Amino acid sequence: MPDLNTFKLEGTKLVPINRFNLEPAKPSTAFSTIAINKANDFKVIEHPIIHSIDIKPILVFPIIESYFPLIEGDKAITENDSFKDYFKNEITLLFPQIEIVPNNGTVFYYENVPDKSGNKGGLRGKVTLKYTIKEKPLQANQKSIPLNLKEAILNLKVNLDFIKVNGIVNTATQEIQFDLIDEAVKIAFLNLVSNLNDLKCNLDLFFDFKGYSKIKRNFLFARDISILKSQIVTKSDLSSPRATLTPKSTIISSPLMVRDDLQTKVAPKTIISGIQLDNSIKSNVQEEYVKSTFLLKINKTLSFPIGADPAISLYKTISGGFVNIPFNLNEDFSQFKQIFVAGYNFSKLSIYKSMVQPNTFLLIAKVYSLSKDLNTMKPCISTIFHAYEEGTGTAEEISKISFQFAIGPNLSDFDLAKLKIALLQNNFLDGDTTDFFDKIQFLFPNDISAEYEVSGNYFLQQSDITTDGKHFLFNLSTENLSEASIMINALNNTISQYANINFKHKEIKDSSIIELNIEQTIGEILGTVIDNTAKKIQIENQSISNCKLNSVLLVYDQNMTYSNGVFFKTYPELISGNTQLLDFSALNPNASSQLKNVFFDFENIENISSEFSQIVSQSTAYNRYVQVQIKGQTAATNRITIELTVQETGTKFTVERLKSEFSTPILFNFIIKNTIENTTLISYKVNYFDKNDNLTGTKNEVFDFSKASIITINKKS
């Protein structure tokens, strides 16, 4: 289980403190074909990935007796585990039994598909199963845990490896169907009839269930070193006894929770109370239980002998049951084949068509960008100070900074919808294309467990990287304070940091570029509600920035589509938090059928750097921010470079500004080591250039950051 000391309440959602809330991660490496109802979106907070979970009000009537397991410990949950009920400790809760059988007397079906000339063009097939949830024999004090199947994965075996195919789950009829093409049809058949355990395929079933788990909250804060050395400390100031404390680094979840007062000696108890008051933290709450959604993974081996009677055979074609072996296995096939779609340049997107599952495409975006948080719509990036907590220590207690951020493929929902239409128009779809919008599946490198490697940026290469759905989570810690300052300054001033991310999966080798820039984030920011009765679309800008609409793609019944970009040429920007109504007739005057979905192409008019600056430019004793402002220059000055050196640490910064950027302030961050005596001087050199890049003047100055926080670059004399 994850660290449970990471949750907080935001409105009606319980969200992790030190983790970004991205799209719900998938419980497996395959991609679902099920249409997702956003109102009932599945969100996991415990296993395998932490996510937020909606907190629903408890209804008093009607009274239905429910049982919820109390999940304790950190071991993996298995189907044979038992739990105590959260409300009634005397009740023991058990998982029911899961049985898998062929669906309606058929486990495997296939057909030969002709090509345009009428010759054999390939194979199409499916594996069909039915699952049953049966209660085990229970005693009086035992109850069964309700389970709901969320996803099923068929693991086909070949060459000591697996091919994963995800299924279409129908919970109403308890049926599962796996669609297959070409070589996957052969592999599935031979796996199902094999007598060798090593060649039998198996099935992963992912069930969700509700339960309660305990979280703990201990509040520890960094304090100014001068206060620590004052020895004004009492045991009651801390949540743990003084004897148990050791001089070690403690993660601080926000740099703004570092309090300092260099002139007065204030008791730590007063400081902690002030921080708790500022952040609305209740110090007497040390632990509590939260209702969460958990996943149970059950694996079933599939083996169905072919038999001798065609009339009752589980293996069928269009002519009925068969009992022979019609396939020769080609073990050297490729799972994916690269395709090229008109209008989609290789510099933006690589597209690979699956050779084992119909209408399934692997997408490798050529640019990965900073993602937005689903709840706050802010960039998924945070800085964490590792600070000394209490007791005696050395001269350099604050000497480490961590960065956490999330990146994802730079492909919007609008881009993906347009790609589906392009795949249809370029004849890349299999079989009946009537409901092609619902049939097409898109995979990303993480969905197929592709290997990845970051290169080209020494700073980012040192990160610990984990995957979450289609996102990558970077966790980077450094004791090189100059490097950390460079990273923070790049973020403050929207200077892009670049790196390469290289993917490898069997026959596929591809690469993308990571562009880390706080003003070039990705993520959907428009909330839409379709009202077919009133013939209107309600749109809401859920971002903290303004939004400019460029185009709209409307999807109707029978997957008829209509695109309109002219309407938005004169449409005003949508202000943050603003809601507007759009008439169907204004977007498509000829529409007559029901509107199923709508996709917007938009630009996020962000000014996050100024908002970010307002938050982080509050300097502390260790973490300093200095703003550089360039005054109006002579007409001849076309470019200015500024070179700053923090004399205490030797940290150096160099920045260049063109004439069009002179009015934009520059924010510099640097870390002061925790020493008793500090030099508070910054030396800086300003170079002035004309439009021909000739050096026209130079100034050398010294600035004392303990007396002011703004460095002014005056007009060249």
Side-chain angles (χ1 to χ4, degrees):
M1 282 188 185
D3 179 12
L4 298 181
N5 189 19
T6 54
F7 297 93
K8 64 180 178 181
L9 191 66
E10 281 190 359
T12 61
K13 287 187 176 181
L14 186 71
V15 299
I17 293 174
N18 290 327
R19 188 198 175 279
F20 308 116
N21 184 33
L22 301 166
E23 297 176 8
K26 299 188 66 55
S28 67
T29 59
F31 197 84
S32 176
T33 60
I34 306 169
I36 297 176
N37 184 346
K38 291 186 177 180
N40 298 312
D41 207 355
F42 175 52
K43 298 180 179 179
V44 183
I45 77 163
E46 289 291 348
H47 174 73
I49 301 293
I50 306 174
H51 277 283
S52 66
I53 181 171
D54 291 329
I55 299 176
K56 308 281 187 186
I58 299 176
L59 300 177
V60 178
F61 297 102
I63 299 176
I64 300 174
E65 192 171 26
S66 299
Y67 298 94
F68 298 99
L70 176 61
I71 312 296
E72 296 182 304
D74 57 0
K75 70 181 186 67
I77 299 173
T78 69
E79 57 188 306
N80 297 319
D81 288 338
S82 61
F83 307 93
K84 293 296 182 182
D85 180 66
Y86 174 71
F87 295 102
K88 300 179 180 179
N89 193 255
E90 68 276 9
I91 299 294
T92 299
L93 301 180
L94 305 171
F95 290 120
Q97 286 181 307
I98 307 299
E99 291 186 359
I100 299 293
V101 296
N103 186 36
N104 294 327
T106 302
V107 72
F108 177 85
Y109 177 89
Y110 86 97
E111 292 180 13
N112 285 294
V113 180
D115 60 18
K116 293 179 181 179
S117 301
N119 301 316
K120 289 185 178 180
L123 298 170
R124 298 289 183 271
K126 59 184 178 181
V127 172
T128 54
L129 300 168
K130 193 175 185 70
Y131 68 96
T132 305
I133 301 176
K134 290 187 174 182
E135 285 195 0
K136 298 175 181 176
L138 300 174
Q139 299 178 8
N141 64 336
Q142 293 178 333
K143 300 294 180 180
S144 190
I145 301 173
L147 295 178
N148 179 42
L149 183 61
K150 298 304 298 185
E151 191 164 357
I153 307 298
L154 180 63
N155 301 301
L156 302 179
K157 288 190 177 181
V158 58
N159 277 352
L160 302 178
D161 198 0
F162 287 99
I163 298 169
K164 293 181 177 290
V165 179
N166 61 293
I168 303 170
V169 177
N170 187 333
T171 54
T173 60
Q174 295 189 320
E175 296 174 335
I176 311 170
Q177 178 174 313
F178 301 92
D179 292 326
L180 308 167
I181 60 175
D182 297 334
E183 301 301 329
V185 177
K186 303 177 185 179
I187 297 167
F189 172 77
L190 295 174
N191 282 180
L192 289 168
V193 301
S194 177
N195 287 321
L196 301 175
N197 289 331
D198 290 341
L199 292 181
K200 293 177 181 178
C201 57
N202 60 72
L203 179 67
D204 286 330
L205 300 171
F206 294 89
F207 294 89
D208 74 339
F209 64 96
K210 304 294 183 183
Y212 281 84
S213 62
K214 181 190 298 184
I215 66 170
K216 296 180 180 180
R217 294 178 178 174
N218 295 311
F219 304 107
L220 304 173
F221 305 96
R223 273 149 281 176
D224 191 284
I225 192 66
S226 64
I227 296 173
L228 296 180
K229 291 185 179 297
S230 69
Q231 304 299 317
I232 306 177
V233 180
T234 62
K235 290 183 180 180
S236 61
D237 296 332
L238 306 170
S239 59
S240 301
R242 176 65 179 268
T244 66
L245 295 175
T246 57
K248 64 181 181 178
S249 295
T250 301
I251 292 181
I252 304 303
S253 62
S254 170
L256 297 186
M257 295 181 78
V258 180
R259 280 285 184 89
D260 67 286
D261 188 342
L262 297 176
Q263 305 301 322
T264 60
K265 300 294 185 291
V266 182
K269 184 175 182 178
T270 304
I271 297 173
I272 293 177
S273 299
I275 295 174
Q276 292 171 344
L277 181 63
D278 292 345
N279 294 275
S280 302
I281 294 174
K282 297 179 180 180
S283 60
N284 59 342
V285 179
Q286 290 300 307
E287 64 181 34
E288 61 185 84
Y289 290 89
V290 293
K291 187 178 180 181
S292 308
T293 303
F294 296 83
L295 280 183
L296 170 66
K297 176 183 177 182
I298 295 178
N299 181 270
K300 296 287 187 180
T301 299
L302 300 180
S303 180
F304 300 97
I306 194 167
D309 186 354
I312 59 172
S313 176
L314 299 175
Y315 300 86
K316 294 182 174 64
T317 69
I318 196 170
S319 302
F322 65 92
V323 293
N324 60 314
I325 299 179
F327 307 120
N328 291 318
L329 180 60
N330 172 19
E331 295 182 345
D332 298 325
F333 74 99
S334 296
Q335 288 193 41
F336 293 94
K337 179 178 71 175
Q338 188 169 10
I339 61 174
F340 300 92
V341 181
Y344 287 83
N345 194 292
F346 182 72
S347 62
K348 180 179 181 180
L349 179 67
S350 294
I351 307 173
Y352 297 84
K353 181 173 169 52
S354 172
M355 297 291 101
V356 299
Q357 195 164 2
N359 302 320
T360 300
F361 301 86
L362 170 66
L363 306 182
I364 299 181
K366 306 310 288 187
V367 176
Y368 273 71
S369 301
L370 192 62
S371 300
K372 285 186 176 67
D373 187 286
L374 282 179
N375 284 337
T376 65
M377 294 297 166
K378 294 180 180 180
C380 291
I381 191 161
S382 66
T383 57
I384 299 174
F385 282 73
H386 293 255
Y388 186 75
E389 181 202 334
E390 195 58 85
T392 59
T394 60
E396 297 181 6
E397 302 299 348
I398 295 185
S399 59
K400 191 175 183 181
I401 292 182
S402 291
F403 297 91
Q404 293 180 342
F405 59 91
I407 64 167
N410 198 344
L411 294 170
S412 67
D413 287 349
F414 180 85
D415 294 332
L416 297 178
K418 295 286 284 187
L419 178 56
K420 289 182 178 182
I421 297 173
L423 290 169
L424 172 69
Q425 294 172 342
N426 287 270
N427 299 315
F428 283 114
L429 301 187
D430 304 303
D432 182 12
T433 59
T434 304
D435 295 320
F436 73 97
F437 248 91
D438 301 323
K439 291 179 178 178
I440 293 176
Q441 306 176 70
F442 289 133
L443 306 179
F444 294 91
N446 292 347
D447 295 321
I448 61 171
S449 301
E451 297 178 7
Y452 59 87
E453 179 185 34
V454 174
S455 62
N457 185 310
Y458 173 79
F459 201 49
L460 299 184
Q461 284 173 215
Q462 310 308 309
S463 301
D464 292 328
I465 306 174
T466 57
T467 59
D468 180 6
K470 62 185 178 183
H471 296 86
F472 292 90
L473 306 182
F474 284 70
N475 193 333
L476 170 63
S477 296
T478 179
E479 296 181 7
N480 187 321
L481 302 186
S482 295
E483 284 186 353
S485 294
I486 290 171
M487 182 71 165
I488 294 176
N489 290 322
L491 295 169
N492 288 349
N493 298 288
T494 66
I495 300 170
S496 293
Q497 293 283 300
Y498 292 99
N500 295 322
I501 182 165
N502 306 304
F503 298 106
K504 182 180 179 182
H505 179 75
K506 297 178 182 177
E507 72 273 16
I508 294 176
K509 289 185 180 179
D510 213 322
S511 63
S512 303
I513 295 173
I514 297 172
E515 182 177 3
L516 190 62
N517 188 317
I518 204 167
E519 280 196 351
Q520 295 180 13
T521 54
I522 60 169
E524 301 301 315
I525 64 172
L526 285 179
T528 60
V529 177
I530 299 172
D531 188 341
N532 277 293
T533 303
K535 304 294 183 183
K536 292 183 183 295
I537 303 171
Q538 177 181 292
I539 58 174
E540 179 187 3
N541 181 4
Q542 299 174 338
S543 171
I544 60 176
S545 305
N546 291 357
C547 172
K548 182 180 183 300
L549 299 176
N550 295 324
S551 182
V552 64
L553 176 64
L554 307 171
V555 182
Y556 298 93
D557 287 338
Q558 308 302 319
N559 284 315
M560 298 296 293
T561 61
Y562 183 84
S563 183
N564 187 341
V566 177
F567 177 82
F568 295 103
K569 287 189 179 298
T570 58
Y571 198 80
E573 289 183 8
L574 196 61
I575 308 302
S576 173
N578 196 6
T579 299
Q580 296 289 341
L581 291 175
L582 302 174
D583 290 325
F584 284 9
S585 58
L587 299 177
N588 182 6
N590 302 317
S592 58
S593 57
Q594 290 281 100
L595 183 63
K596 287 176 53 179
N597 214 333
V598 58
F599 302 94
F600 287 97
D601 182 27
F602 60 85
E603 297 177 41
N604 209 9
I605 313 300
E606 297 178 297
N607 189 21
I608 295 178
S609 61
S610 62
E611 299 166 13
F612 190 72
S613 301
Q614 292 170 10
I615 296 173
V616 301
S617 60
Q618 304 177 27
S619 297
T620 70
Y622 318 115
N623 185 27
R624 308 294 304 205
Y625 290 88
V626 173
Q627 192 176 97
V628 178
Q629 294 183 350
I630 302 176
K631 291 293 187 181
Q633 300 295 316
T634 62
T637 302
N638 192 63
R639 180 168 63 94
I640 289 177
T641 63
I642 307 166
E643 303 170 8
L644 294 93
T645 302
V646 181
Q647 294 187 3
E648 173 69 21
T649 61
T651 301
K652 295 183 178 181
F653 307 103
T654 301
V655 69
E656 177 182 86
R657 278 287 191 260
L658 300 178
K659 177 179 287 189
S660 60
E661 303 169 321
F662 285 172
S663 60
T664 303
I666 309 163
L667 191 69
F668 285 98
N669 165 268
F670 52 95
I671 312 300
I672 298 299
K673 293 188 177 182
N674 202 5
T675 56
I676 298 175
E677 299 294 334
N678 284 330
T679 299
T680 59
L681 299 179
I682 294 177
S683 59
Y684 64 95
K685 178 181 179 181
V686 183
N687 296 317
Y688 301 84
F689 298 86
D690 63 17
K691 64 180 180 179
N692 297 316
D693 283 338
N694 296 313
L695 181 64
T696 60
T698 299
K699 284 185 179 180
N700 290 282
E701 303 285 349
V702 175
F703 174 78
D704 189 344
F705 59 78
S706 66
K707 298 180 179 179
S709 61
I710 298 178
I711 299 175
T712 301
I713 307 300
N714 293 312
K715 183 187 298 184
K716 182 179 75 70
S717 56

